[in-house]
Amino acid sequence: MSCLLLFLLLAPLAAIIAIIAGAPAQRTAGIAAAFNLVYSIGLLYGYPAAQGGYWYVMDYPWVTLAGVPPIRFHLGVDGISLPLVFLTAIVTFAAIAISPHNIRRSSEYYCYLLLMSLGAMGAFISLDIFFFFIFHEFALIPTFLLIGIWGAQNRQFASFQVTIYLMAGSLILLAGLIALVMALPQPERTFDIVALQAYIGKHPLLVSTQDAIFPIVLVGFGILVGLFPFHSWAPPGYASAPPAAAMLHAGILKKFALYGLIRIAIPMLYNGFIDWRPLILVLLAGNFIYAGFVTVAQKELPTMIGFSSIMHMGYLFLGIACWNTIGVSGAVVLMVAHGLSAALLFGLSGEITHRAGENRFTELGGLAQRAPMLAILFSFASMASMGVPGLANFAGELMVFFASARYFFLFAAFAVYGTVITAIFQLRAIKTIFYGSMPSRYGPQPATVAAGTGESIPASPGMTDTATLPEYTPYVLLIGASLIIGFMPFLLLKIVEPSVSLLPFIPALH
């Protein structure tokens, strides 16, 4: 039995205790996040990818009462969960690094960020359904508090809406997971994911039982991830949340539901998944079509990014719905890629709002002249979201296209359409915010002439590129990770594919 994964949970927990005891909040939280980032890279490096399967396993009995399915503190990672552990670590580090050091009630603020990270990390490394669920719920509590206390305008309403939606999704999911466990004979009931898969693999549940349980689990996970039409909580919630909280939730916590489909729902309820797959395809088309048009219509940067994130869930659901090695591997790569690009966009959106004092497109313009580095970073983030070759999203989306084109051509076409729509609203955002005309309310503004073009570019009043290199480092780190995966996707795929090929009912590659 190995205790290596336990340090991923102990680092943020120790930092929280130190902050409560009076240690400097941002520095202490940053040290814990940096430790987990370096440590997760070490775990990736040491993982025997060619063999696949679970490693660094810790299995400790927690509750063993007569008549109650045993609950075990069972930790372990494979090539599917380990990249998500790395994603959690790098986004947490970036979120803490971009947060202001002088924020009010800073000790509480950084403790809540660490609690979100701890909950997400625990969910990804848990191999027991009880802890898988509890860790995620543990991460939702600080999410509500961060929005309600430190959020932007309408934060009380947004926090209340997010609470209702996500708690409803969690309760529905809990009902589905309990129904799954209780459907087994009494001696075989357990919350242990590995034991459940082994037993159900030999003794599948009745198809009628699977058809009854799978839609419950799907709706629960669908609400948590923002599957159409259960998505309406996300954009206003992200728009009101502090940038760091939006980075953590959109970049990390939304992957919980997708990971749960891959790890629990489909392997254990495969026949139910096959019977309900047509509905999944129809709903994910809504993510592409409806969310795509709504994103184009947005007039504020944070809500545009929020709806964009919802739209991109369609790619992930499509890859998982294929349930083959290429599709699921592409979905895992895209989970990491989307986490990086979503965190980048939400972080930079907060930076623009903080420094310009506005987030409405009509009140922004000409920022490239005063903040050229910010323009470069936002352009990189937008290109990643668009799936430009050389960035991580391209590798994942391309695999999803290949996996779906043969069996679900219409939905693959919707996915291609999604890349066009993404290019429209992201390029519009770049043009308007950084190269557009200054709002008339500022009055006549001096203009500078772009070198070599003779074109007059309006300058943005009251905003200069005063940020130092350390302040830009978190964004550069996220872009660097996206570039590495984009140019060398084999580094991630050689870890992901062997474990995906071991999932139940995954067809062998020919």
Side-chain angles (χ1 to χ4, degrees):
M1 185 168 68
S2 171
C3 296
L4 291 176
L5 295 180
L6 199 57
F7 290 104
L8 293 169
L9 306 179
L10 292 177
L13 184 60
I16 291 168
I17 294 171
I19 292 171
I20 293 173
Q26 187 178 35
R27 182 181 302 175
T28 305
I31 291 172
F35 171 84
N36 267 4
L37 177 56
V38 174
Y39 194 68
S40 65
I41 294 173
L43 293 175
L44 276 169
Y45 181 78
Y47 178 72
Q51 300 178 42
Y54 297 112
W55 285 79
Y56 313 122
V57 175
M58 176 181 180
D59 191 2
Y60 185 80
W62 197 66
V63 173
T64 53
L65 297 176
V68 178
I71 301 174
R72 309 182 70 85
F73 190 63
H74 191 183
L75 307 180
V77 290
D78 64 354
I80 300 170
S81 55
L82 196 49
L84 299 177
V85 168
F86 165 74
L87 175 66
T88 303
I90 192 170
V91 172
T92 300
F93 178 80
I96 290 172
I98 65 102
S99 297
H101 67 277
N102 59 346
I103 193 168
R104 62 189 177 92
R105 299 165 66 174
S106 61
S107 295
E108 294 177 54
Y109 176 84
Y110 286 103
C111 283
Y112 292 151
L113 291 182
L114 288 169
L115 284 173
M116 284 184 71
S117 177
L118 189 153
M121 193 72 78
F124 291 136
I125 67 176
S126 292
L127 293 179
D128 186 279
I129 290 179
F130 176 83
F131 283 103
F132 169 79
F133 180 83
I134 289 298
F135 271 118
H136 177 259
E137 299 309 295
F138 190 70
L140 292 183
I141 297 171
T143 305
F144 309 143
L145 294 172
L146 284 163
I147 297 174
I149 299 173
W150 291 276
Q153 59 183 12
N154 300 322
R155 63 180 180 271
Q156 300 298 334
F157 172 78
S159 177
F160 185 68
Q161 184 183 47
V162 168
T163 301
I164 291 176
Y165 266 90
L166 296 187
M167 285 301 175
S170 295
L171 288 174
I172 294 171
L173 174 61
L174 179 62
L177 295 176
I178 291 175
L180 171 62
V181 173
M182 298 305 292
L184 273 62
Q186 175 70 35
E188 305 298 335
R189 290 175 185 169
T190 178
F191 290 106
D192 188 274
I193 293 174
V194 179
L196 276 172
Q197 281 193 7
Y199 179 80
I200 292 176
K202 296 178 181 177
H203 309 89
L205 299 177
L206 294 175
V207 174
S208 58
T209 302
Q210 296 188 41
D211 285 343
I213 297 174
F214 185 82
I216 301 174
V217 177
L218 175 65
V219 170
F221 280 135
I223 294 174
L224 296 178
V225 78
L227 176 65
F228 177 85
F230 313 114
H231 65 282
S232 59
W233 62 268
Y238 292 148
S240 299
M247 290 170 70
L248 287 170
H249 197 282
I252 301 170
L253 283 178
K254 281 180 78 171
K255 310 306 180 290
F256 164 83
L258 298 158
Y259 175 72
L261 285 171
I262 296 172
R263 179 67 72 213
I264 298 171
I266 298 177
M268 300 184 193
L269 301 165
Y270 181 74
N271 290 319
F273 159 69
I274 293 298
D275 290 342
W276 285 96
R277 181 159 58 180
L279 176 62
I280 297 174
L281 294 170
V282 171
L283 295 182
L284 69 85
N287 281 74
F288 288 125
I289 299 172
Y290 175 80
F293 281 119
V294 173
T295 306
V296 172
Q298 295 308 301
K299 298 180 180 179
E300 296 181 357
L301 180 59
T303 51
M304 186 206 80
I305 298 171
F307 275 104
S308 169
S309 180
I310 293 299
M311 177 186 172
H312 282 83
M313 292 302 102
Y315 295 100
L316 296 166
F317 271 99
L318 181 58
I320 294 171
C322 293
W323 203 248
N324 53 35
T325 303
I326 298 175
V328 178
S329 297
V332 174
V333 172
L334 194 51
M335 277 193 267
V336 177
H338 176 269
L340 295 172
S341 62
L344 259 172
L345 286 169
F346 278 113
L348 291 169
S349 171
E351 190 80 21
I352 292 168
T353 302
H354 173 71
R355 293 168 62 184
E358 273 291 350
N359 58 30
R360 293 172 293 174
F361 290 127
T362 56
E363 302 300 325
L364 293 168
L367 302 190
Q369 186 65 23
R370 293 291 182 91
M373 187 63 182
L374 198 58
I376 293 171
L377 293 172
F378 191 86
S379 297
F380 263 106
S382 297
M383 287 189 288
S385 181
M386 288 186 281
V388 171
L391 292 158
N393 297 58
F394 173 76
E397 289 177 8
L398 190 64
M399 295 179 71
V400 170
F401 294 156
F402 285 148
S404 58
R406 181 176 178 182
Y407 303 105
F408 311 115
F409 180 79
L410 175 62
F411 299 96
F414 287 147
V416 174
Y417 150 85
T419 62
V420 176
I421 294 296
T422 303
I424 291 172
F425 60 71
Q426 289 292 170
L427 291 174
R428 184 196 67 171
I430 294 172
K431 176 184 180 297
T432 304
I433 296 170
F434 295 101
Y435 303 101
S437 301
M438 284 299 304
S440 58
R441 66 186 177 90
Y442 288 117
Q445 296 295 325
T448 58
V449 177
T453 66
E455 219 176 292
S456 183
I457 300 177
S460 173
M463 178 176 177
T464 56
D465 205 353
T466 58
T468 61
L469 181 60
E471 291 176 296
Y472 282 132
T473 298
Y475 304 117
V476 174
L477 181 66
L478 294 174
I479 291 172
S482 184
L483 284 169
I484 291 171
I485 297 172
F487 276 101
M488 295 180 287
F490 62 86
L491 293 177
L492 193 54
L493 285 173
K494 72 178 183 181
I495 295 173
V496 174
E497 279 190 3
S499 292
V500 168
S501 65
L502 296 177
L503 289 171
F505 308 107
I506 286 283
L509 284 173
H510 297 292

